[in-house]
Amino acid sequence: VSERWFDQNTVDILENSLAVIEFSRRNIPLLASKGIVYPHIFYVPFGGIVGRLRSHGLSNNNTVLFYGDASSPRRKRYLEAIAKKFSLRIVTNEFGSNMAKTLSEAAVVINIHYYDGAMLETTRIFESLSSGARIVSESAPDLDDYPGLADVVDFVPVDNIEAMVLAIQDVLRDQQTENDFDRSKALNDYLRQSQLRFNFMFLRALLGKGLIDYSTFERGSGNQDHHFFALSLPETFQRRQQFEALKVPEAMVFDGLRAPKGWIGCALSYKYLCRSALRTGKTRLSILEDDVLLPIEHRQIRNAILAYLDRCDSTGKPWDIFVGIIAQLKEDTVVSSVEHFEGLTFITLNRMTSTVYNIYNKSALSLIANWDETNDDPIVNTIDRFLESQSELRVLTVLEPIFGHREDMHSTLWGFKNSQYDEMISTTRNKLQSLVHEFERSQAGRPSAVGKNTL
């Protein structure tokens, strides 16, 4: 984040590159201020490497290791204080297998920022972890970008030399008694998770530049094992920040896939999540997009929707997709049922357009899992239009305008402001209301009267 790295020559190099790979989400806004923005930039956080762990087993070894540039004034202050208390080794020009051997021989590796406000030195940390080293490190503003790292690294507050000295003492004391097997297992588990994350994000970047195809990406990326995802791009940092401010902890944020054509990347995100869901045994999957507007009582409303879907399943009422917002209705859209449940009006349709807040049944998961990414005609093959073209869908929605669409955001696919959708959505809601009234009139006097729980 230091301005000293960004002279005009550096910015020119970044602008004229094939792509920019950035390791820290916190650096993306700074790069944006220099004109390096989505879709030119890709977020790829570092990870560890499984299989390099060495068992230390050096109960009498008290060597504290620092490696890297020791000339920084703030690093000098730390190192001078540490050298007074411990056997300190400073390595400044060692790499490869020699560095791996040095790491395996150290009792503790210390990580100190070169300058104030620095991002986490994840290259040093993950190299050390991959060799099995115990680490004491200053904290950093981007630590949250590495979930689970604080469980395997001892972090201390920034600019607190005394805290680092005490943490080193604790690590040296604790390793006399800790179970090396248990620590190695926990560390290996974390390294495996971090390596999978790196693989996913790096392959995502290659896919985004068209350097690999989807099949190659999927083979190397593993599965996403969850039931509720929030689809978002880390490179569009303002959208991500606004969504995170909504506080939807039950929705796991998924870093959406990228492709040279944005709408294909969007659809590939759905394809990948649906294929992952099927491989991990899911029969239902919720996906919302990061420009959704949620009501304050979202959790209660979602519970009511899920309860209705459960009732449908238990009573044999077929459905494929629940759609929170219907953006557009084709002329041949048909209402086949209207039912009231827990204060909501549920409508069954044969068509839908919109993926802002949807719940997909197993039948829809199978349908989307087979979406053809080689068809690059956006008129018929965006994920919305693909689903809309399925004339036999059993679509559930609610009449009440519960879910919204942030009009202050710009579409990451088409580049215009979301406010252009407002009139379309408003017109569609009016049309849906008319279709419901027509259906109610046609059903008047029949035994299953509208206004009761008719499931």
mmCIF file with all atom_site columns, all heavy atoms in Angstrom, residues 20 26 45 162 170 183 235 276 329 331 333 405 440:
data_model
loop_
_atom_site.group_PDB
_atom_site.id
_atom_site.type_symbol
_atom_site.label_atom_id
_atom_site.label_alt_id
_atom_site.label_comp_id
_atom_site.label_asym_id
_atom_site.label_entity_id
_atom_site.label_seq_id
_atom_site.pdbx_PDB_ins_code
_atom_site.Cartn_x
_atom_site.Cartn_y
_atom_site.Cartn_z
_atom_site.occupancy
_atom_site.B_iso_or_equiv
_atom_site.pdbx_formal_charge
_atom_site.auth_seq_id
_atom_site.auth_comp_id
_atom_site.auth_asym_id
_atom_site.auth_atom_id
_atom_site.pdbx_PDB_model_num
ATOM 1   N N   . VAL A 1 20  ? -3.248  -8.344  -14.247 1.00 0.00 ? 20  VAL A N   1
ATOM 2   C CA  . VAL A 1 20  ? -2.561  -8.075  -12.986 1.00 0.00 ? 20  VAL A CA  1
ATOM 3   C C   . VAL A 1 20  ? -3.105  -9.041  -11.940 1.00 0.00 ? 20  VAL A C   1
ATOM 4   O O   . VAL A 1 20  ? -4.321  -9.110  -11.733 1.00 0.00 ? 20  VAL A O   1
ATOM 5   C CB  . VAL A 1 20  ? -2.776  -6.621  -12.522 1.00 0.00 ? 20  VAL A CB  1
ATOM 6   C CG1 . VAL A 1 20  ? -2.199  -6.409  -11.123 1.00 0.00 ? 20  VAL A CG1 1
ATOM 7   C CG2 . VAL A 1 20  ? -2.132  -5.652  -13.502 1.00 0.00 ? 20  VAL A CG2 1
ATOM 8   N N   . ARG A 1 26  ? -6.881  -5.931  0.143   1.00 0.00 ? 26  ARG A N   1
ATOM 9   C CA  . ARG A 1 26  ? -6.730  -4.559  0.622   1.00 0.00 ? 26  ARG A CA  1
ATOM 10  C C   . ARG A 1 26  ? -5.949  -3.695  -0.367  1.00 0.00 ? 26  ARG A C   1
ATOM 11  O O   . ARG A 1 26  ? -5.988  -2.473  -0.291  1.00 0.00 ? 26  ARG A O   1
ATOM 12  C CB  . ARG A 1 26  ? -6.031  -4.548  1.980   1.00 0.00 ? 26  ARG A CB  1
ATOM 13  C CG  . ARG A 1 26  ? -6.731  -5.368  3.050   1.00 0.00 ? 26  ARG A CG  1
ATOM 14  C CD  . ARG A 1 26  ? -8.136  -4.878  3.316   1.00 0.00 ? 26  ARG A CD  1
ATOM 15  N NE  . ARG A 1 26  ? -8.818  -5.704  4.298   1.00 0.00 ? 26  ARG A NE  1
ATOM 16  C CZ  . ARG A 1 26  ? -8.918  -5.393  5.585   1.00 0.00 ? 26  ARG A CZ  1
ATOM 17  N NH1 . ARG A 1 26  ? -8.387  -4.277  6.042   1.00 0.00 ? 26  ARG A NH1 1
ATOM 18  N NH2 . ARG A 1 26  ? -9.558  -6.196  6.418   1.00 0.00 ? 26  ARG A NH2 1
ATOM 19  N N   . PRO A 1 45  ? -5.017  -14.920 -3.631  1.00 0.00 ? 45  PRO A N   1
ATOM 20  C CA  . PRO A 1 45  ? -4.297  -14.985 -2.357  1.00 0.00 ? 45  PRO A CA  1
ATOM 21  C C   . PRO A 1 45  ? -3.349  -16.180 -2.327  1.00 0.00 ? 45  PRO A C   1
ATOM 22  O O   . PRO A 1 45  ? -3.611  -17.213 -2.929  1.00 0.00 ? 45  PRO A O   1
ATOM 23  C CB  . PRO A 1 45  ? -5.423  -15.144 -1.332  1.00 0.00 ? 45  PRO A CB  1
ATOM 24  C CG  . PRO A 1 45  ? -6.525  -15.813 -2.090  1.00 0.00 ? 45  PRO A CG  1
ATOM 25  C CD  . PRO A 1 45  ? -6.437  -15.286 -3.495  1.00 0.00 ? 45  PRO A CD  1
ATOM 26  N N   . GLU A 1 162 ? 7.393   -5.716  22.825  1.00 0.00 ? 162 GLU A N   1
ATOM 27  C CA  . GLU A 1 162 ? 7.287   -6.521  24.046  1.00 0.00 ? 162 GLU A CA  1
ATOM 28  C C   . GLU A 1 162 ? 6.357   -7.712  23.840  1.00 0.00 ? 162 GLU A C   1
ATOM 29  O O   . GLU A 1 162 ? 6.653   -8.831  24.305  1.00 0.00 ? 162 GLU A O   1
ATOM 30  C CB  . GLU A 1 162 ? 6.782   -5.649  25.199  1.00 0.00 ? 162 GLU A CB  1
ATOM 31  C CG  . GLU A 1 162 ? 6.700   -6.408  26.525  1.00 0.00 ? 162 GLU A CG  1
ATOM 32  C CD  . GLU A 1 162 ? 6.182   -5.545  27.668  1.00 0.00 ? 162 GLU A CD  1
ATOM 33  O OE1 . GLU A 1 162 ? 5.929   -4.349  27.437  1.00 0.00 ? 162 GLU A OE1 1
ATOM 34  O OE2 . GLU A 1 162 ? 6.041   -6.076  28.786  1.00 0.00 ? 162 GLU A OE2 1
ATOM 35  N N   . ASP A 1 170 ? 6.642   -17.825 24.886  1.00 0.00 ? 170 ASP A N   1
ATOM 36  C CA  . ASP A 1 170 ? 5.556   -18.803 25.023  1.00 0.00 ? 170 ASP A CA  1
ATOM 37  C C   . ASP A 1 170 ? 5.726   -19.960 24.049  1.00 0.00 ? 170 ASP A C   1
ATOM 38  O O   . ASP A 1 170 ? 5.513   -21.134 24.407  1.00 0.00 ? 170 ASP A O   1
ATOM 39  C CB  . ASP A 1 170 ? 4.208   -18.123 24.791  1.00 0.00 ? 170 ASP A CB  1
ATOM 40  C CG  . ASP A 1 170 ? 3.826   -17.181 25.922  1.00 0.00 ? 170 ASP A CG  1
ATOM 41  O OD1 . ASP A 1 170 ? 4.421   -17.291 27.010  1.00 0.00 ? 170 ASP A OD1 1
ATOM 42  O OD2 . ASP A 1 170 ? 2.928   -16.329 25.707  1.00 0.00 ? 170 ASP A OD2 1
ATOM 43  N N   . ARG A 1 183 ? 0.187   -31.310 16.166  1.00 0.00 ? 183 ARG A N   1
ATOM 44  C CA  . ARG A 1 183 ? 0.456   -30.039 15.507  1.00 0.00 ? 183 ARG A CA  1
ATOM 45  C C   . ARG A 1 183 ? 0.647   -30.237 14.010  1.00 0.00 ? 183 ARG A C   1
ATOM 46  O O   . ARG A 1 183 ? 0.143   -29.471 13.188  1.00 0.00 ? 183 ARG A O   1
ATOM 47  C CB  . ARG A 1 183 ? 1.697   -29.390 16.105  1.00 0.00 ? 183 ARG A CB  1
ATOM 48  C CG  . ARG A 1 183 ? 1.992   -28.034 15.453  1.00 0.00 ? 183 ARG A CG  1
ATOM 49  C CD  . ARG A 1 183 ? 3.272   -27.398 15.947  1.00 0.00 ? 183 ARG A CD  1
ATOM 50  N NE  . ARG A 1 183 ? 3.457   -26.126 15.279  1.00 0.00 ? 183 ARG A NE  1
ATOM 51  C CZ  . ARG A 1 183 ? 3.997   -25.991 14.073  1.00 0.00 ? 183 ARG A CZ  1
ATOM 52  N NH1 . ARG A 1 183 ? 4.415   -27.066 13.417  1.00 0.00 ? 183 ARG A NH1 1
ATOM 53  N NH2 . ARG A 1 183 ? 4.129   -24.789 13.523  1.00 0.00 ? 183 ARG A NH2 1
ATOM 54  N N   . GLU A 1 235 ? -12.776 -8.591  -6.985  1.00 0.00 ? 235 GLU A N   1
ATOM 55  C CA  . GLU A 1 235 ? -12.156 -7.479  -7.705  1.00 0.00 ? 235 GLU A CA  1
ATOM 56  C C   . GLU A 1 235 ? -13.069 -6.261  -7.789  1.00 0.00 ? 235 GLU A C   1
ATOM 57  O O   . GLU A 1 235 ? -12.589 -5.137  -7.979  1.00 0.00 ? 235 GLU A O   1
ATOM 58  C CB  . GLU A 1 235 ? -11.753 -7.919  -9.118  1.00 0.00 ? 235 GLU A CB  1
ATOM 59  C CG  . GLU A 1 235 ? -10.729 -9.022  -9.159  1.00 0.00 ? 235 GLU A CG  1
ATOM 60  C CD  . GLU A 1 235 ? -11.301 -10.429 -9.061  1.00 0.00 ? 235 GLU A CD  1
ATOM 61  O OE1 . GLU A 1 235 ? -12.551 -10.568 -9.013  1.00 0.00 ? 235 GLU A OE1 1
ATOM 62  O OE2 . GLU A 1 235 ? -10.516 -11.403 -9.032  1.00 0.00 ? 235 GLU A OE2 1
ATOM 63  N N   . SER A 1 276 ? -21.055 -28.771 -8.105  1.00 0.00 ? 276 SER A N   1
ATOM 64  C CA  . SER A 1 276 ? -20.503 -29.059 -6.778  1.00 0.00 ? 276 SER A CA  1
ATOM 65  C C   . SER A 1 276 ? -21.591 -29.569 -5.844  1.00 0.00 ? 276 SER A C   1
ATOM 66  O O   . SER A 1 276 ? -21.373 -30.513 -5.072  1.00 0.00 ? 276 SER A O   1
ATOM 67  C CB  . SER A 1 276 ? -19.868 -27.800 -6.185  1.00 0.00 ? 276 SER A CB  1
ATOM 68  O OG  . SER A 1 276 ? -18.659 -27.482 -6.814  1.00 0.00 ? 276 SER A OG  1
ATOM 69  N N   . LEU A 1 329 ? -41.419 -10.990 -17.540 1.00 0.00 ? 329 LEU A N   1
ATOM 70  C CA  . LEU A 1 329 ? -42.351 -12.080 -17.833 1.00 0.00 ? 329 LEU A CA  1
ATOM 71  C C   . LEU A 1 329 ? -42.613 -12.136 -19.337 1.00 0.00 ? 329 LEU A C   1
ATOM 72  O O   . LEU A 1 329 ? -42.967 -11.122 -19.940 1.00 0.00 ? 329 LEU A O   1
ATOM 73  C CB  . LEU A 1 329 ? -43.678 -11.880 -17.096 1.00 0.00 ? 329 LEU A CB  1
ATOM 74  C CG  . LEU A 1 329 ? -43.693 -12.112 -15.586 1.00 0.00 ? 329 LEU A CG  1
ATOM 75  C CD1 . LEU A 1 329 ? -45.056 -11.763 -15.013 1.00 0.00 ? 329 LEU A CD1 1
ATOM 76  C CD2 . LEU A 1 329 ? -43.331 -13.551 -15.246 1.00 0.00 ? 329 LEU A CD2 1
ATOM 77  N N   . GLU A 1 331 ? -44.726 -13.293 -22.716 1.00 0.00 ? 331 GLU A N   1
ATOM 78  C CA  . GLU A 1 331 ? -46.172 -13.227 -22.980 1.00 0.00 ? 331 GLU A CA  1
ATOM 79  C C   . GLU A 1 331 ? -46.874 -14.543 -22.702 1.00 0.00 ? 331 GLU A C   1
ATOM 80  O O   . GLU A 1 331 ? -48.060 -14.562 -22.357 1.00 0.00 ? 331 GLU A O   1
ATOM 81  C CB  . GLU A 1 331 ? -46.419 -12.806 -24.440 1.00 0.00 ? 331 GLU A CB  1
ATOM 82  C CG  . GLU A 1 331 ? -46.058 -11.364 -24.745 1.00 0.00 ? 331 GLU A CG  1
ATOM 83  C CD  . GLU A 1 331 ? -46.823 -10.389 -23.853 1.00 0.00 ? 331 GLU A CD  1
ATOM 84  O OE1 . GLU A 1 331 ? -48.033 -10.589 -23.627 1.00 0.00 ? 331 GLU A OE1 1
ATOM 85  O OE2 . GLU A 1 331 ? -46.196 -9.434  -23.371 1.00 0.00 ? 331 GLU A OE2 1
ATOM 86  N N   . THR A 1 333 ? -46.324 -16.576 -20.269 1.00 0.00 ? 333 THR A N   1
ATOM 87  C CA  . THR A 1 333 ? -46.219 -16.985 -18.867 1.00 0.00 ? 333 THR A CA  1
ATOM 88  C C   . THR A 1 333 ? -47.599 -17.336 -18.323 1.00 0.00 ? 333 THR A C   1
ATOM 89  O O   . THR A 1 333 ? -48.570 -16.600 -18.530 1.00 0.00 ? 333 THR A O   1
ATOM 90  C CB  . THR A 1 333 ? -45.605 -15.865 -18.015 1.00 0.00 ? 333 THR A CB  1
ATOM 91  O OG1 . THR A 1 333 ? -44.307 -15.556 -18.529 1.00 0.00 ? 333 THR A OG1 1
ATOM 92  C CG2 . THR A 1 333 ? -45.482 -16.295 -16.561 1.00 0.00 ? 333 THR A CG2 1
ATOM 93  N N   . HIS A 1 405 ? -33.253 -4.946  -5.706  1.00 0.00 ? 405 HIS A N   1
ATOM 94  C CA  . HIS A 1 405 ? -32.074 -4.929  -6.551  1.00 0.00 ? 405 HIS A CA  1
ATOM 95  C C   . HIS A 1 405 ? -31.427 -3.569  -6.368  1.00 0.00 ? 405 HIS A C   1
ATOM 96  O O   . HIS A 1 405 ? -32.062 -2.549  -6.614  1.00 0.00 ? 405 HIS A O   1
ATOM 97  C CB  . HIS A 1 405 ? -32.529 -5.127  -8.005  1.00 0.00 ? 405 HIS A CB  1
ATOM 98  C CG  . HIS A 1 405 ? -31.440 -5.553  -8.936  1.00 0.00 ? 405 HIS A CG  1
ATOM 99  N ND1 . HIS A 1 405 ? -31.283 -4.989  -10.177 1.00 0.00 ? 405 HIS A ND1 1
ATOM 100 C CD2 . HIS A 1 405 ? -30.467 -6.483  -8.816  1.00 0.00 ? 405 HIS A CD2 1
ATOM 101 C CE1 . HIS A 1 405 ? -30.259 -5.565  -10.787 1.00 0.00 ? 405 HIS A CE1 1
ATOM 102 N NE2 . HIS A 1 405 ? -29.750 -6.474  -9.984  1.00 0.00 ? 405 HIS A NE2 1
ATOM 103 N N   . GLU A 1 440 ? -57.153 -15.779 -9.794  1.00 0.00 ? 440 GLU A N   1
ATOM 104 C CA  . GLU A 1 440 ? -58.084 -15.798 -8.658  1.00 0.00 ? 440 GLU A CA  1
ATOM 105 C C   . GLU A 1 440 ? -59.536 -15.744 -9.139  1.00 0.00 ? 440 GLU A C   1
ATOM 106 O O   . GLU A 1 440 ? -60.402 -16.443 -8.595  1.00 0.00 ? 440 GLU A O   1
ATOM 107 C CB  . GLU A 1 440 ? -57.785 -14.638 -7.715  1.00 0.00 ? 440 GLU A CB  1
ATOM 108 C CG  . GLU A 1 440 ? -56.496 -14.829 -6.920  1.00 0.00 ? 440 GLU A CG  1
ATOM 109 C CD  . GLU A 1 440 ? -56.171 -13.632 -6.037  1.00 0.00 ? 440 GLU A CD  1
ATOM 110 O OE1 . GLU A 1 440 ? -56.560 -12.499 -6.408  1.00 0.00 ? 440 GLU A OE1 1
ATOM 111 O OE2 . GLU A 1 440 ? -55.543 -13.828 -4.984  1.00 0.00 ? 440 GLU A OE2 1
#
